[in-house]
Amino acid sequence: MRTEGDFGWHLGVLLSAYQGSVTTLLGELPHATRGYQILSTVVHGDQPTQAALAAHLGIDRTVMTYLIDDLVKAGLVERRLNQADRRARKIVVTPLGARTLTGLEHQVRQAEVTLLGGLEEGERETFRGLLRKVACHLRNIEPQIDPCAAAGHVLPDTSTPPRR
C-alpha cells in the first residue's frame, strides 16, 4: 500500500489517534471532545451569546442548546443574561468548570506531545502553526463561522517573517 503522498490517509490516521487518546482523557466530561471545545472556548474566547458560541465552533444552534444543557447540569458552565441584549444568554464558566479545564488542558497537551512524538519540539510547534494557518484560511472561506478568532491572538502569526 502506497501512503507517502496520501494526504487524506495521513489526516485520517492523525485524527483517529487524536480522538482515541483525547476521548479517553476526557473521561466524565459531557460530550467528550465537543464538550472540551465548548468549555475551552467559553474560558478563552469572548463569545457574547450562546448563538455566537455555536457559530464560532460550527455547531448547529439547536444542538448547542443540548450540549450546553449537559454542561450546566455538570456544574461546569452557567447561562447568564447578556448585558448588551437581555433576550440573549452568555455562557460563562463556573469555578468548577475553570478548575476542570485547567486539569484537562494539561492532560490534552501531554497527549498531543505524545501523539506528535515523531517530531522534535521545534517541528511540533511549526506543525501546530501551519495547521492553525490552514484552518484559519479555510474558515476565511466561510466567514459566518470563525473558530480562529481566539487562536489568532494567542498563537503568533507565522505568515510573515520577523523584520531584522
Side-chain angles (χ1 to χ4, degrees):
M1 179 170 161
R2 184 169 178 258
T3 59
E4 296 87 22
D6 192 338
F7 182 71
W9 183 82
H10 296 141
L11 286 176
V13 169
L14 183 60
L15 181 59
S16 177
Y18 177 82
Q19 287 178 325
S21 62
V22 171
T23 299
T24 301
L25 293 174
L26 298 177
E28 301 298 315
L29 185 68
H31 305 286
T33 53
R34 180 125 324 156
Y36 177 78
Q37 290 170 346
I38 293 168
L39 192 57
S40 180
T41 302
V42 167
V43 169
H44 299 297
D46 188 23
Q47 303 305 316
T49 66
Q50 182 173 314
L53 179 63
H56 177 78
L57 292 171
I59 299 172
D60 181 85
R61 291 182 341 168
T62 57
V63 172
M64 180 61 86
T65 299
Y66 300 113
L67 298 172
I68 297 295
D69 286 346
D70 291 342
L71 292 171
V72 168
K73 286 177 193 169
L76 301 171
V77 298
E78 299 175 345
R79 287 182 175 96
R80 291 193 186 154
L81 286 177
N82 180 337
Q83 296 302 318
D85 179 357
R86 293 199 177 264
R87 297 168 296 168
R89 299 287 183 262
K90 180 175 175 79
I91 307 304
V92 296
V93 71
T94 65
L96 174 61
R99 287 190 308 273
T100 300
L101 181 64
T102 297
L104 291 175
E105 284 177 328
H106 177 72
Q107 292 176 26
V108 167
R109 188 65 171 194
Q110 291 301 85
E112 291 170 358
V113 168
T114 300
L115 187 67
L116 299 175
L119 302 175
E120 294 179 20
E121 184 176 345
E123 292 173 321
R124 285 193 300 268
E125 292 311 311
T126 298
F127 179 77
R128 287 175 194 278
L130 291 172
L131 188 59
R132 180 191 68 77
K133 186 175 180 179
V134 169
C136 290
H137 171 76
L138 291 173
R139 284 304 188 187
N140 287 335
I141 294 169
E142 300 176 47
Q144 74 276 13
I145 302 169
D146 183 15
C148 300
H153 73 276
V154 174
L155 296 173
D157 181 4
T158 57
S159 63
T160 307
R163 293 184 175 198
R164 294 181 187 230

